[in-house]
């Protein structure tokens, strides 16, 4: 969805949004080793599920003050993905054996997820000097947080609930980007122009891994 508000030729606001959900309640894979029966599979109940959520929002504000063109661009992105796989046959039944040893069941699944949040803000100004020279200056801030998690749980095949965790792991990642940019556009004639510019940017990253 998109909404444009332009009360005058010198000012406008555009808002946009995208919302998307994807859900799968069972595995979309079949096992050809089970014979010629169509759609044959031997995954445990409550496995093979998949969920995805995506949210994208943006706001673009443009204005003109005293001949100077100003622009602000703001964007927010959120995504979440979750799936649950049958871990019983993984590693030659290692996790099924651990589930039986500690939780008295041979059923194990592998739930994993990825969650991303990102926000970006950009400002820019275009300043004219006479009729032939334009100076562009701007800045950018970008912040992104990503959380990844996976675990292997023993579970109850009757209701799909976890009985206890065999392996648990999370990775927390943070990214911070900052930038300043500028350029000068010199229009020498109707057919020829010269542009000179530069950009400074820095990127900071942090990652923390936890396992149990």
């Amino acid at each position: 969805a998109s909404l444009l508000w332009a009360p005058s030729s010198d000012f406008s606001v555009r808002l946009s949004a995208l919302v998307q959900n994807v859900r799968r309640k069972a595995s979309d894979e079949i096992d050809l080793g089970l014979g010629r029966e169509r759609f044959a599979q031997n995954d445990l109940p409550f496995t093979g599920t998949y969920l995805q959520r995506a949210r994208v929002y943006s706001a673009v504000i443009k204005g003109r003050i005293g001949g100077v063109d100003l622009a602000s661009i703001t964007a927010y992105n959120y995504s979440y993905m979750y799936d649950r796989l049958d871990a019983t046959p993984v590693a030659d039944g290692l996790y099924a054996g651990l589930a039986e040893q500690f939780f008295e069941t041979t059923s194990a699944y592998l739930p994993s997820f990825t969650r991303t949040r990102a926000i970006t803000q950009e400002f820019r100004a275009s300043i004219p000097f006479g009729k032939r020279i334009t100076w562009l200056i701007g800045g950018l801030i970008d912040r992104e947080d990503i959380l990844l998690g996976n675990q292997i749980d023993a579970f109850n095949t009757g209701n799909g609930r976890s009985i206890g965790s065999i392996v648990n792991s999370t990775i927390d990642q943070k990214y911070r980007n900052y930038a300043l940019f500028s350029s000068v556009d010199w229009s020498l004639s109707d057919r020829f122009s010269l542009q000179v510019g530069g950009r400074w940017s820095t990127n900071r990253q942090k990652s923390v891994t936890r396992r149990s």
Side-chain angles (χ1 to χ4, degrees):
S2 180
L3 174 65
L4 174 63
W5 181 51
S8 70
S9 59
D10 292 334
F11 183 78
S12 67
V13 178
R14 181 182 293 275
L15 303 177
S16 301
L18 170 67
V19 177
Q20 179 177 341
N21 293 328
V22 178
R23 182 185 296 271
R24 186 184 68 207
K25 294 186 176 181
S27 173
D28 57 359
E29 299 179 357
I30 62 174
D31 190 345
L32 298 178
L34 297 178
R36 296 185 178 181
E37 183 180 354
R38 296 182 63 189
F39 312 123
Q41 46 181 236
N42 60 356
D43 293 339
L44 291 176
F46 302 101
T47 64
T49 59
Y50 175 80
L51 172 66
Q52 180 184 19
R53 297 191 182 109
R55 307 288 187 267
V56 181
Y57 306 103
S58 66
V60 179
I61 303 175
K62 295 181 179 180
R64 173 174 291 183
I65 301 176
V68 178
D69 292 325
L70 303 173
S72 169
I73 304 170
T74 306
Y76 175 76
N77 295 275
Y78 171 84
S79 67
Y80 178 81
M81 292 182 290
Y82 173 88
D83 61 10
R84 183 189 291 172
L85 304 177
D86 183 1
T88 305
V90 174
D92 294 327
L94 171 63
Y95 297 114
L98 292 174
E100 183 176 21
Q101 179 180 353
F102 294 106
F103 303 104
E104 298 181 353
T105 178
T106 58
S107 303
Y109 56 34
L110 194 162
S112 62
F113 71 90
T114 301
R115 187 189 68 200
T116 303
R117 291 191 178 102
I119 184 167
T120 302
Q121 177 64 60
E122 179 178 330
F123 296 102
R124 59 175 61 193
S126 182
I127 307 169
F129 291 91
K131 296 182 178 180
R132 294 188 177 273
I133 299 177
T134 303
W135 178 33
L136 173 68
I137 185 171
L140 172 71
I141 300 174
D142 179 57
R143 300 168 62 92
E144 184 174 2
D145 296 332
I146 303 175
L147 182 63
L148 304 96
N150 63 73
Q151 60 193 68
I152 296 180
D153 289 359
F155 77 104
N156 187 330
T157 55
N159 55 26
R161 295 178 180 175
S162 172
I163 301 174
S165 293
I166 303 170
V167 177
N168 195 335
S169 174
T170 59
I171 301 176
D172 190 357
Q173 299 175 333
K174 298 183 183 298
Y175 300 89
R176 302 292 184 263
N177 301 306
Y178 306 94
L180 295 173
F181 53 87
S182 180
S183 67
V184 176
D185 193 336
W186 183 16
S187 179
L188 300 175
S189 68
D190 294 339
R191 295 186 176 184
F192 184 78
S193 65
L194 176 65
Q195 186 179 67
V196 178
R199 179 184 178 94
W200 170 88
S201 64
T202 180
N203 180 280
R204 301 175 182 175
Q205 303 181 17
K206 180 180 179 181
S207 180
V208 178
T209 300
R210 301 179 180 88
R211 295 188 178 93
S212 61

